[in-house]
Amino acid sequence: MNQLRLSAAVQSLKPSATLAAAAKAKELKRQGIQIYDFTLGEPDFITPVNIRNAAVAAIEAGHTHYTLSGGILELKQAVCSAYKRDYGLEFTPAQVLISNGAKHSIHNVIAALCGPGDEVIIPAPYWVSYSALVELAGAIPVIVPTTEASGFCMTADQFRKAITPRTRLLMLNNPSNPTGATYPVEQLQSLAQVAIEKQIPVLSDEIYEKLLYKGSEFRCFASFSPEVAARTIIVSGVSKAYAMTGWRIGWTIGPVDVIRAMDNLQSQETSNPCSVSQHAAVEGLMGPQESVEAMRLEFEKRRSYVMDRMRPWRNRFQITFIEPGGAFYVFFNIAAAFGRPLAGGCVVQNATEFCTALLEQTHVALVTGDAFGAPGYVRLSFATDMETIRDGLDRIESFLSAWNLTKFAPLCLGMPMQSLCRRWRLSHSGRHW
Ligand code: PMP
Ligand code: GLU
């Protein structure tokens, strides 16, 4: 049979690891298996009622046609008003482009600014799609590793050292997916100074701007000075703050010429984002904001619970992590578990194997840090209900506790993970976790 030849760009493109992990968990649930699903970074709340009603009203009013490719003026104005209200920042609608979710916005920025051979600086750990979208454009991700010791924040010095004559963009994410890190304002400002000095454009992904905990401060990157604003393209959207992931509305705010170029691109690629969703997003931004704080408080409660449960793991299991200042993720290092017998006698050698074994043995689904440029780590999204969080953490704890059963060790060490898991399943068939 003749196979259609795929383009080189698509052949080397991996599927989004977050969406793939979530799809795997969904498929197991569909088969009737109870899964403790911590994969997906999306609020579990239904979109607030005023926003849902605005969408119904938009449909009834006949807003069912194509809109301007870059979005309706009303939504661009709403974005400008929200930045004025929330941060005192002045933007004009010509500086705003509405897209099909912030992921699309990121793709637009990279496609507008980067081409083959260009370098894009990305601090690691980074969100899965960053490196993939850079590579799709034929550009080269230049990964700058950060550590728990530095709060997973890149320093100005690291940024400066990563710059070459081919650098075309810095991609920053604050608050961060997957680490939950939030940049101290002074550190952000020192990055901005380097960006001006070296004339490097900055994509500042601020999608988690409204989800902050325990006194963490958010500062819009463009806010430091007009020179910084002239080099910054802000990316954000309604997905996280308004629990609107499925509606697919994100935006970019930046210099008018870049916005115009991305609008041209979008007009050829996708036309406008969904007309009804745009009207719903206007209500999200301009309507009552109480639901944003109510959801944030709920996330904060979950975060506190997860931290209380996980802190003892530091001593008990040599698991390390930073306490998230924002977003809804805990990113923890499980490298101490490698090569030791875990529940079911599994011995894993990396984070991807750890996630597979955990899912098989305990039905808990996490995302491997390998997908975020951070081997040895796994990501847990606490954007799920308290019961799932409580039971899921119990299961992770049991899974890890097994390595205290040292009598098991000589039996298991060195045996491949799959055969160990299989042996354990056979000998414990019917056991319910
Ligand atoms: N940036 C980051 C850091 C994210 O975690 C996500 C996940 N949704 C996005 C962008 C994309 O969001 P959207 O749903 O608006 O495409
Ligand atoms: N951003 C979310 C996550 O990291 C949603 C999944 C995705 O868009 O890749 O889980």
Side-chain angles (χ1 to χ4, degrees):
M1 197 174 69
N2 276 344
Q3 275 201 325
L4 298 185
R5 209 179 72 202
L6 299 172
S7 71
V10 164
Q11 273 183 48
S12 57
L13 189 66
K14 289 187 254 352
S16 157
T18 43
L19 296 182
K24 189 169 176 186
K26 275 200 183 98
E27 172 54 24
L28 291 170
K29 284 185 220 169
R30 203 189 55 75
Q31 292 169 18
I33 302 167
Q34 188 180 1
I35 298 296
Y36 301 80
D37 186 1
F38 300 103
T39 55
L40 207 53
E42 74 167 335
D44 51 321
F45 308 110
I46 186 169
T47 305
V49 65
N50 60 312
I51 300 175
R52 302 199 309 265
N53 287 341
V56 173
I59 293 172
E60 294 299 341
H63 294 308
T64 54
H65 302 277
Y66 292 134
T67 71
L68 290 172
S69 60
I72 56 175
L73 182 61
E74 213 181 334
L75 180 52
K76 292 182 180 184
Q77 282 168 335
V79 169
C80 296
S81 304
Y83 278 77
K84 175 82 183 145
R85 175 192 67 206
D86 297 346
Y87 310 124
L89 294 172
E90 302 271 2
F91 296 111
T92 64
Q95 290 177 275
V96 180
L97 180 74
I98 310 299
S99 302
N100 299 278
K103 192 185 278 188
H104 184 207
S105 303
I106 293 167
H107 173 68
N108 281 342
V109 177
I110 295 168
L113 295 181
C114 308
D118 290 338
E119 292 179 357
V120 178
I121 297 176
I122 306 177
Y126 51 80
W127 182 46
V128 269
S129 296
Y130 284 11
S131 55
L133 291 174
V134 167
E135 283 168 4
L136 190 62
I140 302 159
V142 174
I143 307 299
V144 177
T146 68
T147 61
E148 281 173 43
S150 62
F152 286 125
C153 291
M154 182 177 70
T155 62
D157 200 38
Q158 284 182 298
F159 178 27
R160 193 186 294 280
K161 286 192 180 126
I163 296 171
T164 76
R166 304 176 83 166
T167 305
R168 291 286 293 126
L169 186 66
L170 164 66
M171 292 178 77
L172 264 193
N173 180 208
N174 178 42
S176 155
N177 175 4
T179 62
T182 46
Y183 273 83
V185 174
E186 317 76 63
Q187 190 161 345
L188 212 52
Q189 188 159 22
S190 58
L191 293 177
Q193 274 157 5
V194 177
I196 296 176
E197 185 194 318
K198 299 286 187 183
Q199 307 205 341
I200 308 295
V202 179
L203 182 167
S204 182
D205 180 348
E206 302 175 356
I207 190 101
Y208 296 100
E209 64 195 277
K210 302 289 186 221
L211 297 177
L212 297 170
Y213 313 112
K214 300 271 173 225
S216 293
E217 197 183 339
F218 169 73
R219 185 72 180 265
C220 181
F221 197 80
S223 70
F224 289 111
S225 70
E227 291 95 318
V228 178
R231 316 224 127 261
T232 304
I233 299 116
I234 301 168
V235 170
S236 195
V238 291
S239 289
K240 315 292 173 176
Y242 298 95
M244 290 179 71
T245 46
W247 302 74
R248 311 309 302 135
I249 296 292
W251 56 76
T252 34
I253 308 175
V256 173
D257 53 341
V258 179
I259 295 293
R260 201 180 299 121
M262 294 192 296
D263 193 352
N264 289 345
L265 177 67
Q266 189 162 297
S267 76
Q268 297 288 11
E269 273 188 338
T270 60
S271 302
N272 60 279
C274 169
S275 58
V276 175
S277 297
Q278 291 189 64
H279 286 276
V282 171
E283 173 61 21
L285 290 169
M286 293 291 91
Q289 299 297 299
E290 287 76 11
S291 52
V292 177
E293 177 59 6
M295 290 188 276
R296 191 200 66 79
L297 280 172
E298 184 56 35
F299 286 132
E300 179 144 46
K301 217 167 29 176
R302 296 170 185 181
R303 173 199 175 279
S304 294
Y305 177 79
V306 173
M307 288 299 96
D308 288 348
R309 289 288 309 269
M310 285 184 63
R311 274 184 214 112
W313 294 5
R314 287 181 167 137
N315 278 335
R316 228 178 129 194
F317 307 124
Q318 290 87 55
I319 274 177
T320 60
F321 53 88
I322 63 158
E323 305 212 353
F328 33 56
Y329 307 105
V330 190
F331 200 58
F332 53 104
N333 189 313
I334 40 93
F338 300 165
R340 299 180 187 230
L342 302 165
C346 294
V347 177
V348 301
Q349 303 298 348
N350 58 53
T352 303
E353 286 185 5
F354 181 90
C355 289
T356 306
L358 187 72
L359 184 61
E360 283 191 0
Q361 298 297 319
T362 72
H363 298 167
V364 170
L366 304 176
V367 185
T368 171
D370 293 333
F372 304 101
Y377 282 82
V378 291
R379 188 190 80 174
L380 178 149
S381 159
F382 54 84
T384 189
D385 62 276
M386 272 304 246
E387 206 185 333
T388 304
I389 293 174
R390 192 194 57 225
D391 295 351
L393 290 175
D394 284 349
R395 282 162 178 259
I396 299 174
E397 210 164 82
S398 307
F399 185 66
L400 293 167
S401 299
W403 90 38
N404 293 335
L405 303 174
T406 40
K407 63 180 165 49
F408 215 172
L411 219 101
C412 304
L413 279 174
M415 292 180 75
M417 183 192 80
Q418 271 155 358
S419 88
L420 275 164
C421 290
R422 200 167 45 243
R423 283 163 61 114
W424 188 85
R425 265 202 312 280
L426 287 175
S427 59
H428 291 71
S429 50
R431 174 166 171 176
H432 183 73
W433 280 79

